Amino acid sequence: IKTMPGVSSRNELSSQYSVRGGNYDENLVFVNDIEVYRPFLIRSGQQEGLSFVNPDLVSTISFSAGGFDAKYGDKMSSVLDIRYKRPTSFAGSFDISLLGANAHVEGMIGRKLSYLIGARYKTNSYFLKGLDVKGDYKTRYVDIQGLLNYEISKKWEISFLGTFSDNSFKLIPQNQTTNFGNALEAYQIMIYFDGREVDHYQNWLSATTLTFKPNNNLRLRLISSIYQASESETYDISGEYWIGALQTPTSGSGSGGYGNITEVLGVGAYLNHARNYLNGTVFNLAQLGSYEKNRSLLQYGIKYQHEFFKNVLNEWQLQDSAGYSQPRPMDSLGSTKPPHTQLELSNVVKTNATIGVNRYTAFLQNTWTFKNLTNDISLTAGVRAMYDDLNNQFLLNPRVNVSYKPHWEKDVDFRVSGGYYSQPPTFRELTDLQGNIITNLKAQTSIDVVAGSDLFFNWRSEERRVGKECRSRWSPYH
């Protein structure tokens, strides 16, 4: 996905991506029509570990970098729609490496119950030792997922999706050496650490889907899911640093010695402290339906979502430079107080807040397909509505998608889509840098128009066709 047009990622340790300049929280991810979430407190890719998607369980993946239909959720950048496999016979896989292990098993029990279970383990401690910050890294990422499908009758079916992930990140830093600047003006910072960081992220997702198919045209589904997060971020790390100027070709005469420190520009120390805890629950109840007749497909859905988060933050930083604390305390007249009479901390964040949000969404869309001797045209038009009781905002987003597929020798598809896209504020956006809750924050809204084309081909059939042409046209000497 990171290699597709409009998609970028600035961290090779992270599975997150940004689309068309958006942030990581503007992307939708669905597994079997169930929205999935990522941990909230994670700050860097080295803490993230495994992505949610287990490749051993995937059947198909659809990705849209904008301009997606009204049936998908309320995000602005992209949607990743994943379908897990429906096993028909017993199968399994297992692989192990120095960085982890994966295993999965699938099959049928009788004629009505199918199961799909996967487990993953990963540690990148060996890889992290190559970073600028040297120290003792201990990482453990565990992920277990399972999908059960039971056919009650020819018209009724029930499925259960359960996931559990446990990410543990521990670091005892020792030192860090980083060079910066350019060839004419280069500097180096050396830091010696004391203390440690311990982060823990646990996430659960359980979802039940009840499907009713009274006939071949009508399909009704009731989906209930609950997501729970228990995350902690704790560290006490002190550092003593030296900043020096490095010798460059213009800083002295003679050869050799380049890269050595010629002058110490500053010394200091700091202490970072954090005791951050987050507990969150997201409950969803949705009813989806589809009706297909002739060349028309009608889809609708209504959904209720409740979010509750309890956020406890206690974070501060003590900075010291040349024997006094930064920022230096001031008296009532604005003059600097004598040193050591008062201690002030910087970047102080201390809060104990709760957030409760109820969201109501609905969508209605229809797809028409027109086929003739020269081309196929598909038109999808729909509208999506959303109400948020936190800021009492009602949103209405119409969307349209047109696909044109000429009957050429090559399988080519041209698409144009657009409409209104809104994203209600998530937990991250509702919390400012000081940990305060912003209740009157409105949803982001944009108008997107996306155009593109796809070329589909079967690699093996193309390979055989090209090979046959080569054998018939070329001589052995060529």
Side-chain angles (χ1 to χ4, degrees):
I1 294 177
K2 294 180 180 180
T3 62
M4 300 187 68
V7 183
S8 63
S9 178
R10 294 180 292 273
N11 192 334
E12 62 181 359
L13 295 176
S14 173
S15 62
Q16 301 302 315
Y17 50 89
S18 61
V19 180
R20 296 179 288 110
N23 61 43
Y24 296 153
D25 297 321
E26 294 180 356
N27 304 311
L28 283 165
V29 179
F30 290 93
V31 173
N32 291 8
D33 297 323
I34 301 166
E35 186 175 359
V36 299
Y37 306 88
R38 60 187 290 263
F40 293 92
L41 289 183
I42 283 180
R43 304 194 186 194
S44 61
Q46 60 190 13
Q47 301 171 349
E48 184 178 329
L50 294 163
S51 66
F52 179 88
V53 182
N54 188 336
D56 295 332
L57 311 183
V58 172
S59 172
T60 60
I61 291 180
S62 301
F63 179 76
S64 174
F68 42 87
D69 296 340
K71 67 177 181 180
Y72 294 111
D74 301 288
K75 293 291 181 73
M76 299 179 63
S77 292
S78 70
V79 58
L80 179 63
D81 192 358
I82 304 166
R83 296 288 171 177
Y84 276 0
K85 290 187 287 187
R86 184 72 178 267
T88 57
S89 60
F90 178 79
S93 66
F94 176 77
D95 65 85
I96 187 171
S97 68
L98 294 177
L99 298 180
N102 303 329
H104 102 281
V105 62
E106 61 184 78
M108 297 284 296
I109 300 178
R111 296 183 178 181
K112 295 187 176 183
L113 178 63
S114 67
Y115 60 90
L116 179 65
I117 302 174
R120 295 179 293 171
Y121 169 80
K122 176 185 176 182
T123 176
N124 54 7
S125 301
Y126 298 104
F127 184 79
L128 296 178
K129 291 180 180 179
L131 299 178
D132 287 343
V133 179
K134 307 299 180 182
D136 184 14
Y137 289 89
K138 293 183 179 180
T139 61
R140 186 194 74 245
Y141 312 111
V142 179
D143 174 79
I144 302 174
Q145 300 186 27
L147 177 63
L148 302 176
N149 291 282
Y150 181 73
E151 186 179 346
I152 303 174
S153 64
K154 293 184 178 180
K155 296 183 178 181
W156 291 91
E157 180 182 282
I158 189 171
S159 65
F160 173 79
L161 173 67
T163 69
F164 170 76
S165 65
D166 184 278
N167 293 355
S168 177
F169 176 84
K170 298 179 181 179
L171 168 62
I172 302 178
Q174 297 174 355
N175 60 77
Q176 174 182 353
T177 302
T178 303
N179 298 332
F180 59 96
N182 52 52
L184 302 180
E185 189 174 358
Y187 303 93
Q188 183 182 87
I189 180 172
M190 295 182 296
I191 308 175
Y192 295 91
F193 298 103
D194 188 18
R196 69 173 184 170
E197 176 182 357
V198 178
D199 302 329
H200 199 196
Y201 312 96
Q202 281 190 348
N203 303 94
W204 302 266
L205 174 66
S206 59
T208 303
T209 303
L210 181 64
T211 304
F212 176 56
K213 296 181 288 185
N215 52 58
N216 295 331
N217 298 330
L218 181 62
R219 185 183 185 188
L220 304 175
R221 283 175 297 165
L222 181 65
I223 302 176
S224 175
S225 67
I226 183 169
Y227 168 83
Q228 293 181 298
S230 178
E231 306 177 16
S232 64
E233 182 184 51
T234 61
Y235 56 80
D236 285 288
I237 297 178
S238 63
E240 298 180 0
Y241 61 86
W242 286 260
I243 301 178
L246 298 179
Q247 184 174 356
T248 62
T250 60
S251 61
S253 59
S255 62
Y258 298 146
N260 295 328
I261 295 180
T262 60
E263 180 184 3
V264 176
L265 302 179
V267 296
Y270 65 86
L271 173 62
N272 291 335
H273 169 89
R275 294 293 186 273
N276 301 331
Y277 304 95
L278 174 68
N279 290 283
T281 301
V282 180
F283 172 76
N284 288 282
L285 182 62
Q287 199 276 307
L288 308 177
S290 63
Y291 180 75
E292 185 175 7
K293 187 176 182 180
N294 298 329
R295 296 179 180 178
S296 175
L297 174 61
L298 177 66
Q299 295 175 283
Y300 77 90
I302 54 176
K303 179 181 177 181
Y304 165 73
Q305 177 173 305
H306 174 72
E307 302 177 9
F308 177 81
F309 291 93
K310 182 177 177 59
N311 190 26
V312 179
L313 301 178
N314 184 5
E315 184 177 341
W316 49 262
Q317 183 180 67
L318 173 64
Q319 295 181 344
D320 179 83
S321 179
Y324 60 86
S325 176
Q326 292 285 353
R328 298 193 64 184
M330 309 290 289
D331 59 19
S332 59
L333 299 179
S335 60
T336 303
K337 292 183 179 181
H340 310 300
T341 61
Q342 183 178 347
L343 182 64
E344 289 195 4
L345 304 175
S346 59
N347 301 324
V348 178
V349 178
K350 191 171 184 178
T351 185
N352 188 342
T354 59
I355 302 176
V357 184
N358 294 303
R359 291 195 174 97
Y360 307 87
T361 59
F363 76 88
L364 178 67
Q365 73 175 41
N366 196 82
T367 301
W368 297 271
T369 303
F370 309 95
K371 297 184 178 182
N372 52 55
L373 297 177
T374 59
N375 56 65
D376 297 340
I377 300 176
S378 176
L379 171 64
T380 300
V383 62
R384 186 174 185 87
M386 190 274 293
Y387 174 75
D388 190 331
D389 68 352
L390 183 66
N391 51 24
N392 296 321
Q393 186 179 17
F394 177 78
L395 298 169
L396 193 66
N397 295 337
R399 302 173 187 177
V400 64
N401 187 322
V402 180
S403 174
Y404 174 75
K405 185 178 181 180
H407 292 172
W408 295 346
E409 182 180 356
K410 298 291 185 179
D411 192 358
V412 182
D413 186 15
F414 301 94
R415 296 170 288 102
V416 177
S417 60
Y420 282 81
Y421 295 84
S422 300
Q423 178 173 321
T426 61
F427 164 76
R428 287 176 176 268
E429 296 168 324
L430 292 172
T431 307
D432 63 12
L433 296 178
Q434 286 71 41
N436 302 315
I437 305 301
I438 307 174
T439 58
N440 59 349
L441 188 64
K442 301 299 182 180
Q444 304 180 67
T445 302
S446 68
I447 301 176
D448 294 352
V449 177
V450 180
S453 63
D454 296 318
L455 172 62
F456 303 93
F457 61 92
N458 188 307
W459 176 260
R460 292 185 177 180
S461 63
E462 279 291 299
E463 187 178 5
R464 289 194 297 266
R465 183 186 63 82
V466 173
K468 183 178 179 180
E469 291 181 357
C470 292
R471 288 190 297 270
S472 61
R473 295 181 183 179
W474 293 357
S475 69
Y477 301 102
H478 292 165

